[in-house]
Short mmCIF file of all heavy atoms in Angstrom, two decimals:
data_model
loop_
_atom_site.label_atom_id
_atom_site.label_comp_id
_atom_site.label_asym_id
_atom_site.label_seq_id
_atom_site.Cartn_x
_atom_site.Cartn_y
_atom_site.Cartn_z
N LEU A 240 148.22 52.62 71.87
CA LEU A 240 147.92 51.78 70.71
C LEU A 240 146.69 52.24 69.94
O LEU A 240 146.65 52.12 68.72
CB LEU A 240 147.68 50.34 71.18
CG LEU A 240 148.89 49.60 71.74
CD1 LEU A 240 148.44 48.37 72.50
CD2 LEU A 240 149.86 49.22 70.65
N VAL A 241 145.72 52.77 70.62
CA VAL A 241 144.43 53.01 69.99
C VAL A 241 144.03 54.47 69.98
O VAL A 241 143.64 55.01 68.95
CB VAL A 241 143.32 52.19 70.70
CG1 VAL A 241 141.98 52.44 70.04
CG2 VAL A 241 143.67 50.72 70.71
N GLU A 242 144.15 55.13 71.11
CA GLU A 242 143.60 56.47 71.22
C GLU A 242 144.50 57.54 70.64
O GLU A 242 144.13 58.70 70.56
CB GLU A 242 143.29 56.77 72.70
CG GLU A 242 142.21 55.85 73.26
CD GLU A 242 142.00 56.06 74.75
OE1 GLU A 242 142.52 57.05 75.28
OE2 GLU A 242 141.31 55.22 75.36
N ARG A 243 145.68 57.14 70.21
CA ARG A 243 146.61 58.11 69.62
C ARG A 243 146.23 58.29 68.16
O ARG A 243 146.80 57.68 67.26
CB ARG A 243 148.04 57.58 69.73
CG ARG A 243 149.07 58.54 69.19
CD ARG A 243 149.92 59.06 70.29
NE ARG A 243 150.99 59.88 69.77
CZ ARG A 243 151.46 60.93 70.40
NH1 ARG A 243 150.94 61.28 71.53
NH2 ARG A 243 152.45 61.64 69.91
N SER A 244 145.25 59.11 67.89
CA SER A 244 144.70 59.19 66.53
C SER A 244 145.31 60.31 65.70
O SER A 244 145.01 60.43 64.53
CB SER A 244 143.18 59.41 66.62
OG SER A 244 142.91 60.60 67.33
N GLU A 245 146.14 61.16 66.32
CA GLU A 245 146.66 62.29 65.56
C GLU A 245 147.56 61.83 64.42
O GLU A 245 148.31 60.87 64.56
CB GLU A 245 147.44 63.24 66.48
CG GLU A 245 148.79 62.69 66.94
CD GLU A 245 149.54 63.68 67.82
OE1 GLU A 245 148.98 64.10 68.83
OE2 GLU A 245 150.71 63.97 67.48
N GLU A 246 147.44 62.48 63.29
CA GLU A 246 148.29 62.21 62.15
C GLU A 246 149.12 63.46 61.88
O GLU A 246 148.66 64.58 62.10
CB GLU A 246 147.46 61.85 60.92
CG GLU A 246 146.56 60.64 61.11
CD GLU A 246 147.32 59.33 61.15
OE1 GLU A 246 148.56 59.36 61.02
OE2 GLU A 246 146.68 58.29 61.32
N ARG A 247 150.32 63.25 61.39
CA ARG A 247 151.22 64.38 61.18
C ARG A 247 151.64 64.46 59.72
O ARG A 247 151.73 63.45 59.03
CB ARG A 247 152.46 64.25 62.08
CG ARG A 247 152.15 64.32 63.56
CD ARG A 247 153.27 63.73 64.39
NE ARG A 247 154.52 64.45 64.19
CZ ARG A 247 155.72 63.93 64.47
NH1 ARG A 247 155.83 62.70 64.94
NH2 ARG A 247 156.81 64.64 64.26
N ILE A 248 151.90 65.69 59.30
CA ILE A 248 152.26 65.97 57.91
C ILE A 248 153.54 66.81 57.90
O ILE A 248 153.72 67.69 58.73
CB ILE A 248 151.13 66.77 57.22
CG1 ILE A 248 149.93 65.88 56.94
CG2 ILE A 248 151.62 67.44 55.96
CD1 ILE A 248 150.07 64.97 55.75
N ALA A 249 154.43 66.50 56.97
CA ALA A 249 155.61 67.35 56.72
C ALA A 249 155.43 68.03 55.37
O ALA A 249 154.97 67.41 54.41
CB ALA A 249 156.89 66.51 56.74
N LEU A 250 155.83 69.30 55.31
CA LEU A 250 155.60 70.12 54.11
C LEU A 250 156.90 70.83 53.75
O LEU A 250 157.64 71.27 54.63
CB LEU A 250 154.51 71.15 54.43
CG LEU A 250 153.93 72.00 53.31
CD1 LEU A 250 153.06 71.16 52.40
CD2 LEU A 250 153.10 73.15 53.91
N ALA A 251 157.20 70.94 52.47
CA ALA A 251 158.39 71.68 52.02
C ALA A 251 158.12 72.25 50.64
O ALA A 251 157.32 71.73 49.87
CB ALA A 251 159.62 70.76 51.99
N GLY A 252 158.82 73.34 50.32
CA GLY A 252 158.79 73.88 48.96
C GLY A 252 157.64 74.81 48.65
O GLY A 252 157.34 75.03 47.47
N THR A 253 157.00 75.39 49.67
CA THR A 253 155.89 76.30 49.35
C THR A 253 156.36 77.49 48.51
O THR A 253 155.58 78.03 47.71
CB THR A 253 155.21 76.82 50.64
OG1 THR A 253 156.20 77.34 51.52
CG2 THR A 253 154.45 75.72 51.34
N ALA A 254 157.62 77.88 48.65
CA ALA A 254 158.15 78.99 47.83
C ALA A 254 158.13 78.65 46.35
O ALA A 254 158.14 79.56 45.50
CB ALA A 254 159.57 79.34 48.28
N ASN A 255 158.10 77.37 46.00
CA ASN A 255 158.06 76.98 44.59
C ASN A 255 156.79 77.46 43.90
O ASN A 255 156.75 77.57 42.66
CB ASN A 255 158.16 75.45 44.46
CG ASN A 255 159.56 74.94 44.76
OD1 ASN A 255 160.54 75.65 44.56
ND2 ASN A 255 159.65 73.72 45.27
N LEU A 256 155.74 77.74 44.66
CA LEU A 256 154.49 78.23 44.05
C LEU A 256 154.71 79.56 43.34
O LEU A 256 153.99 79.91 42.41
CB LEU A 256 153.41 78.40 45.11
CG LEU A 256 152.84 77.11 45.71
CD1 LEU A 256 151.91 77.45 46.87
CD2 LEU A 256 152.10 76.29 44.66
N ALA A 257 155.71 80.31 43.80
CA ALA A 257 155.95 81.64 43.22
C ALA A 257 156.83 81.58 41.97
O ALA A 257 157.11 82.61 41.36
CB ALA A 257 156.61 82.54 44.26
N ARG A 258 157.26 80.39 41.58
CA ARG A 258 158.15 80.26 40.41
C ARG A 258 157.43 80.44 39.08
O ARG A 258 158.04 80.70 38.07
CB ARG A 258 158.81 78.88 40.38
CG ARG A 258 159.82 78.61 41.47
CD ARG A 258 160.35 77.19 41.29
NE ARG A 258 161.29 76.83 42.33
CZ ARG A 258 162.60 77.08 42.28
NH1 ARG A 258 163.08 77.71 41.23
NH2 ARG A 258 163.39 76.72 43.26
N GLY A 259 156.11 80.24 39.08
CA GLY A 259 155.40 80.09 37.82
C GLY A 259 155.15 81.39 37.08
O GLY A 259 155.60 82.47 37.46
N GLY A 260 154.38 81.25 36.00
CA GLY A 260 154.05 82.40 35.16
C GLY A 260 152.74 83.04 35.59
O GLY A 260 152.06 82.57 36.52
N LEU A 261 152.36 84.08 34.89
CA LEU A 261 151.16 84.85 35.25
C LEU A 261 149.89 84.02 35.12
O LEU A 261 148.90 84.29 35.80
CB LEU A 261 151.08 86.10 34.36
CG LEU A 261 152.17 87.16 34.57
CD1 LEU A 261 152.04 88.26 33.53
CD2 LEU A 261 152.09 87.74 35.98
N LEU A 262 149.89 83.04 34.23
CA LEU A 262 148.68 82.27 33.98
C LEU A 262 148.51 81.09 34.94
O LEU A 262 147.48 80.43 34.92
CB LEU A 262 148.67 81.74 32.54
CG LEU A 262 148.58 82.80 31.43
CD1 LEU A 262 148.68 82.13 30.07
CD2 LEU A 262 147.30 83.61 31.54
N ASP A 263 149.54 80.82 35.77
CA ASP A 263 149.48 79.62 36.60
C ASP A 263 148.37 79.69 37.64
O ASP A 263 147.63 78.73 37.86
CB ASP A 263 150.82 79.38 37.29
CG ASP A 263 151.81 78.68 36.38
OD1 ASP A 263 151.37 78.18 35.33
OD2 ASP A 263 153.00 78.64 36.70
N PHE A 264 148.27 80.79 38.34
CA PHE A 264 147.25 80.93 39.38
C PHE A 264 146.47 82.22 39.11
O PHE A 264 147.05 83.31 39.16
CB PHE A 264 147.89 80.98 40.76
CG PHE A 264 148.72 79.77 41.08
CD1 PHE A 264 150.10 79.85 41.14
CD2 PHE A 264 148.12 78.53 41.29
CE1 PHE A 264 150.87 78.74 41.42
CE2 PHE A 264 148.88 77.41 41.57
CZ PHE A 264 150.26 77.51 41.63
N GLN A 265 145.21 82.08 38.83
CA GLN A 265 144.38 83.26 38.59
C GLN A 265 144.10 83.92 39.95
O GLN A 265 143.50 83.32 40.82
CB GLN A 265 143.07 82.85 37.93
CG GLN A 265 143.25 82.13 36.60
CD GLN A 265 143.96 82.99 35.55
OE1 GLN A 265 143.71 84.18 35.47
NE2 GLN A 265 144.83 82.37 34.77
N GLY A 266 144.57 85.16 40.12
CA GLY A 266 144.35 85.85 41.38
C GLY A 266 145.48 85.62 42.35
O GLY A 266 146.64 85.50 41.98
N SER A 267 145.13 85.51 43.63
CA SER A 267 146.13 85.50 44.71
C SER A 267 146.55 84.08 45.08
O SER A 267 145.79 83.12 44.93
CB SER A 267 145.53 86.19 45.94
OG SER A 267 146.37 86.02 47.06
N LEU A 268 147.78 83.96 45.57
CA LEU A 268 148.26 82.69 46.11
C LEU A 268 147.74 82.45 47.52
O LEU A 268 147.85 81.34 48.04
CB LEU A 268 149.79 82.68 46.16
CG LEU A 268 150.55 82.34 44.88
CD1 LEU A 268 152.04 82.49 45.12
CD2 LEU A 268 150.24 80.91 44.46
N ARG A 269 147.19 83.50 48.15
CA ARG A 269 146.85 83.38 49.57
C ARG A 269 145.90 82.22 49.87
O ARG A 269 146.14 81.45 50.81
CB ARG A 269 146.25 84.70 50.08
CG ARG A 269 145.80 84.61 51.54
CD ARG A 269 145.27 85.93 52.05
NE ARG A 269 146.33 86.89 52.19
CZ ARG A 269 146.14 88.14 52.61
NH1 ARG A 269 144.92 88.55 52.91
NH2 ARG A 269 147.16 88.97 52.72
N PRO A 270 144.80 82.01 49.10
CA PRO A 270 143.90 80.88 49.43
C PRO A 270 144.62 79.53 49.37
O PRO A 270 144.33 78.65 50.18
CB PRO A 270 142.81 80.98 48.35
CG PRO A 270 142.85 82.38 47.88
CD PRO A 270 144.29 82.81 47.97
#
Side-chain angles (χ1 to χ4, degrees):
L240 293 165
V241 180
E242 296 175 12
R243 182 113 175 146
S244 59
E245 72 179 56
E246 301 288 359
R247 295 161 61 200
I248 287 283
L250 189 72
T253 51
N255 287 331
L256 290 173
R258 291 180 183 273
L261 293 174
L262 295 176
D263 278 347
F264 302 109
Q265 301 298 321
S267 171
L268 278 176
R269 177 177 290 180

